[in-house]
Amino acid sequence: MTTVARHKTRKSGGEAPAPRQARVESRPPGEPRRIGWLYVLPALLVYGAFLLWPLVRGAQFSLYDWDGLGTATWAGVSNYTAIWSDPVLRGAFGHLLVLIVFYAVLPCCIAFLLVAVMSRSKIHGLAFFRTVLFLPQVVAMVAVAVAWRWVYSADGPVNTVLGWAHALGLPDWRRGWLGDFTFALPAVGLVGTWVGIGLAMVLFLAGVQRIPRELYEAARIDGAGAVREFFAVTLPALRRELAVALTLTTIMAIRNFDLIYNATEGGPGDATKVPAYEVYNRTFNTGEVGLGCAVGVTLAVLAFVVTAGIRRVVEGKDA
């Protein structure tokens, strides 16, 4: 465009047309997005073959009365109604609620207490204590059950210490802990507490390390004590870690089978029977395959509902 043409354009109030923009591709560079499904396909096949398909077949079997060998007869939802009409199964779900307190609530509370102390003072050898507390997570639950059977045995460490206390004049609290109708379930629950503390504490410690120290300093300048500092700074910042810890430990309680099977086998009587153990017991011992599958499907639904509820309550509306 010449100088005269530019002048005329400026006088007439028009603007020179902008150069045409090069067309930008909407697709990001690299491989097409559909190729990503090929990367996750092996994991999806394994997940579908060993989890989704057995769950679907279990839901199908739960609608029949079947002993695993003979001919199956249609039962409809009678197996599901039997879960609440059978006192043993109803009691098993009640025991599960007790174990959730031991497996999820107590470990998180104790871990929060430990983290609150660690966040206010520097502790030497923190990595060592963290490793020791997390160690039960990497030990097979079968080995944990065998070890705690010895701990709770008549000549085990617990009764030995209580015997020393009795020799000093205290009441005799020695008993067969795993064979006592009153104390067997709390004794198993304390094992779950011991296992879960390390996991919750490691999660909370990781969360505390990303909290700005200025928040603690500001709270202390405002005169906040240890309790107020915890509820005003630490707890709100650890909502997501708390949701993860509660979810993992609650699912651990819901699927608790190996500890019960190796420590008490549901006894004494029905004192420590839980739904996961009843799935095995009804399916392989009493020949009630349909009822066992109904309990398993109910547990799967319960785990999903509890997990979603924990995220909703702890993380808030953004979960």
Side-chain angles (χ1 to χ4, degrees):
M1 187 183 291
T2 64
T3 306
V4 177
R6 283 199 299 269
H7 178 69
K8 288 181 178 179
T9 304
R10 195 179 296 115
K11 273 186 87 176
S12 63
E15 295 182 357
R20 190 172 182 180
Q21 298 274 343
R23 188 175 180 182
V24 181
E25 287 190 27
S26 59
R27 183 174 60 82
E31 297 176 336
R33 293 183 178 180
R34 289 190 298 271
I35 201 69
W37 288 103
L38 293 179
Y39 297 142
V40 299
L41 183 60
L44 289 177
L45 291 176
V46 173
Y47 184 79
F50 293 99
L51 185 66
L52 294 182
W53 178 243
L55 183 60
V56 171
R57 291 289 286 173
Q60 178 185 359
F61 292 154
S62 68
L63 302 177
Y64 290 86
D65 282 332
W66 186 40
D67 60 0
L69 297 174
T71 303
T73 58
W74 176 259
V77 296
S78 62
N79 286 325
Y80 291 94
T81 58
I83 294 176
W84 311 113
S85 60
D86 190 326
V88 176
L89 291 177
R90 194 168 58 246
F93 278 91
H95 298 159
L96 175 59
L97 295 178
V98 176
L99 288 184
I100 287 177
V101 174
F102 281 99
Y103 273 69
V105 179
L106 283 182
C108 288
C109 290
I110 297 173
F112 261 132
L113 179 62
L114 294 174
V115 170
V117 173
M118 294 177 183
S119 64
R120 290 185 61 89
S121 58
K122 188 175 181 180
I123 298 178
H124 297 287
L126 180 60
F128 171 76
F129 291 111
R130 185 188 307 175
T131 302
V132 170
L133 289 174
F134 190 77
L135 191 60
Q137 287 293 320
V138 299
V139 178
M141 194 59 71
V142 174
V144 171
V146 172
W148 279 89
R149 282 184 63 179
W150 169 73
V151 171
Y152 283 133
S153 64
D155 56 349
V158 173
N159 281 329
T160 300
V161 173
L162 293 177
W164 296 341
H166 177 61
L168 296 175
L170 295 177
D172 190 1
W173 290 323
R174 289 173 295 180
R175 65 189 72 244
W177 297 96
L178 296 179
D180 191 285
F181 282 87
T182 303
F183 292 98
L185 187 63
V188 172
L190 287 175
V191 179
T193 303
W194 175 74
V195 172
I197 288 176
L199 174 63
M201 191 197 68
V202 169
L203 289 173
F204 296 158
L205 280 176
V208 165
Q209 291 174 358
R210 63 176 176 79
I211 301 176
R213 304 306 302 177
E214 292 80 5
L215 295 179
Y216 288 104
E217 294 172 0
R220 292 168 187 173
I221 291 174
D222 291 339
V227 177
R228 185 179 173 187
E229 178 184 305
F230 172 77
F231 284 102
V233 179
T234 306
L235 185 58
L238 295 181
R239 287 192 308 166
R240 294 189 181 277
E241 286 77 9
L242 176 60
V244 173
L246 283 175
T247 300
L248 294 177
T249 51
T250 301
I251 291 177
M252 188 188 305
I254 291 176
R255 63 180 180 83
N256 180 22
F257 166 76
D258 37 11
L259 178 61
I260 295 293
Y261 179 79
N262 289 280
T264 64
E265 294 188 4
D270 301 325
T272 59
K273 284 185 176 179
V274 291
Y277 177 82
E278 280 299 294
V279 172
Y280 161 80
N281 185 45
R282 300 292 174 136
T283 302
F284 297 103
N285 290 340
T286 64
E288 300 170 280
V289 177
L291 184 56
C293 290
V295 176
V297 172
T298 303
L299 273 183
V301 174
L302 180 63
F304 176 80
V305 172
V306 170
T307 301
I310 289 174
R311 291 197 59 194
R312 187 71 175 177
V313 172
V314 177
E315 294 189 12
K317 294 183 179 180
D318 295 334

